[in-house]
Amino acid sequence: MAEYSVAEKFTSINGEGRLAGRPAVFIRFKGCNLSCSYCDTKWANDSSLVCEKMTEEEIYSYIKSTGIRAVTLTGGEPLLQKDIYTLLKLLCSDDFLRVEIETNGSVSIKPFRDFKNRPSFTLDYKCPSSSMERYMLEENYSLIDESDTIKFVCGSRKDLERAKAVIEKYKPPCAVYLSPVFGKIDPAEIVDFLIENKLNSVNLQLQLHKFIWDPHKRGV
């Protein structure tokens, strides 16, 4: 049976995305292949982090014990887990669960779309201020559908302009969010940008958990 490196697991509300404000159970995996300038979970990517080793059955059992339907797999980068396909197959076989994967945009989502009750993807596009834009895998934008989400984390006007260019290029069929780097850009500037550029199908997204709790608090 496979083992997964779990940095933390907890129940809270979804702080962002389509289900923002709703109860969710989170599984945060250790490790990431990127190092974004604004990353707020660097601790989970530290190679020296002592994490919990869990099998897919143990993860599933924990999720079911919460009674929560919305499941968010995050990180780090969850798709880097060696046997993540096996875990997803198990979770997606349960019609009660609604599984979301938060992925950084550098790993192909193609292998994970063939489940009957497939997970939804919240696909990041790393804008220039992240210093990781060169790792974005453009083929992912031909694999998403209306059940998925694209998120642009923006810390500057340059980031906003880049997000606009990507949106115009790919015309994504899914929900699209612009989210401010916490403390780096005034959300009002993003609102002005949306209105100025008539981005009628794009949403401003604030990270609710950073307003409800301390922005650096874990397990929320």
Side-chain angles (χ1 to χ4, degrees):
M1 191 168 289
E3 280 193 333
Y4 305 84
S5 299
V6 177
E8 64 175 349
K9 60 186 190 298
F10 58 94
T11 55
S12 183
I13 60 164
N14 265 308
E16 52 194 323
R18 295 192 189 197
L19 300 182
R22 292 192 193 179
V25 53
F26 291 81
I27 307 293
R28 184 182 304 283
F29 296 100
K30 174 184 175 180
C32 190
N33 58 327
L34 302 184
S35 182
C36 296
S37 62
Y38 49 72
C39 180
D40 55 6
T41 54
K42 284 186 183 294
W43 64 271
N45 307 328
D46 190 330
S47 60
S48 65
L49 176 70
V50 177
C51 60
E52 184 177 2
K53 295 293 185 179
M54 299 181 70
T55 67
E56 61 265 19
E57 291 291 348
E58 288 170 336
I59 292 173
Y60 178 65
S61 179
Y62 168 74
I63 290 170
K64 293 298 286 184
S65 74
T66 68
I68 302 296
R69 184 180 189 191
V71 179
T72 299
L73 305 183
T74 187
E77 172 49 61
L79 296 183
L80 293 179
Q81 293 292 306
K82 181 174 177 290
D83 294 293
I84 193 68
Y85 184 93
T86 303
L87 174 61
L88 288 175
K89 186 176 181 179
L90 174 60
L91 298 183
C92 292
S93 69
D94 188 328
D95 290 337
F96 174 75
L97 300 178
R98 175 170 177 172
V99 181
E100 175 190 7
I101 300 173
E102 293 186 340
T103 180
N104 64 24
S106 71
V107 181
S108 177
I109 65 173
K110 187 174 184 178
F112 312 107
R113 299 179 69 256
D114 60 350
F115 303 110
K116 171 188 159 190
N117 179 31
R118 85 161 177 88
S120 65
F121 295 93
T122 295
L123 184 69
D124 273 9
Y125 186 93
K126 304 299 184 185
C127 291
S129 71
S130 72
S131 300
M132 294 289 119
E133 186 178 14
R134 64 190 180 278
Y135 296 108
M136 294 297 91
L137 193 63
E138 295 193 15
E139 72 173 44
N140 279 333
Y141 296 93
S142 66
L143 299 172
I144 55 176
D145 63 27
E146 64 277 359
S147 67
D148 301 312
T149 300
I150 295 177
K151 181 179 69 176
F152 298 86
V153 178
C154 299
S156 66
R157 178 77 183 200
K158 183 178 180 181
D159 285 355
L160 293 172
E161 295 288 357
R162 182 59 182 149
K164 177 176 178 285
V166 172
I167 293 165
E168 290 176 344
K169 178 178 180 179
Y170 293 104
K171 299 177 176 57
C174 60
V176 179
Y177 293 94
L178 300 186
S179 182
V181 177
F182 192 82
K184 292 295 184 181
I185 187 172
D186 187 341
E189 183 175 346
I190 299 179
V191 174
D192 291 342
F193 185 84
L194 291 174
I195 294 171
E196 171 189 331
N197 290 279
K198 300 178 178 59
L199 295 175
N200 294 307
S201 60
V202 180
N203 304 276
L204 168 67
Q205 176 77 78
L206 302 179
Q207 294 175 294
L208 291 179
H209 52 290
K210 291 188 176 180
F211 292 90
I212 298 172
W213 298 283
D214 183 295
H216 305 292
K217 185 177 177 62
R218 297 183 191 177
V220 294

